[in-house]
Amino acid sequence: SPIITAFHFPENANFDFMQFYTRLKERGFVIYPGKVTDINTFRIGTIGDVDEQAIRKLLEAIKECRYWL
């Protein structure tokens, strides 16, 4: 897969990119800040040999790291 996807920051005052980044990194996933426009975003790259199991692990890690809810 050669894709990088940008996501808007959550509309929640408790969201902090660095905290989210650190929590995901502790689980083996690295996200990137994305300032392509004036909109606050982060990016997730799905580059290389990405299979269903890897995507499921990423989604589970994101679910576990959503501290701001």
Side-chain angles (χ1 to χ4, degrees):
S1 174
I3 298 172
I4 297 175
T5 305
F7 298 88
H8 290 147
F9 278 13
E11 292 183 9
N12 186 305
N14 295 322
F15 176 78
D16 175 76
F17 173 78
M18 284 309 299
Q19 187 173 356
F20 186 46
Y21 169 90
T22 300
R23 289 174 181 227
L24 281 175
K25 188 173 182 185
E26 289 170 352
R27 290 165 175 79
F29 296 96
V30 178
I31 61 174
Y32 305 91
K35 285 281 191 162
V36 179
T37 67
D38 292 336
I39 299 169
N40 289 325
T41 62
F42 62 88
R43 297 174 293 155
I44 297 178
T46 51
I47 299 171
D49 186 14
V50 180
D51 60 15
E52 183 178 344
Q53 182 180 6
I55 297 295
R56 289 186 185 279
K57 285 182 181 179
L58 170 63
L59 293 174
E60 186 62 31
I62 290 171
K63 183 178 175 182
E64 292 170 1
C65 294
R66 291 173 38 180
Y67 65 88
W68 60 88
L69 298 177

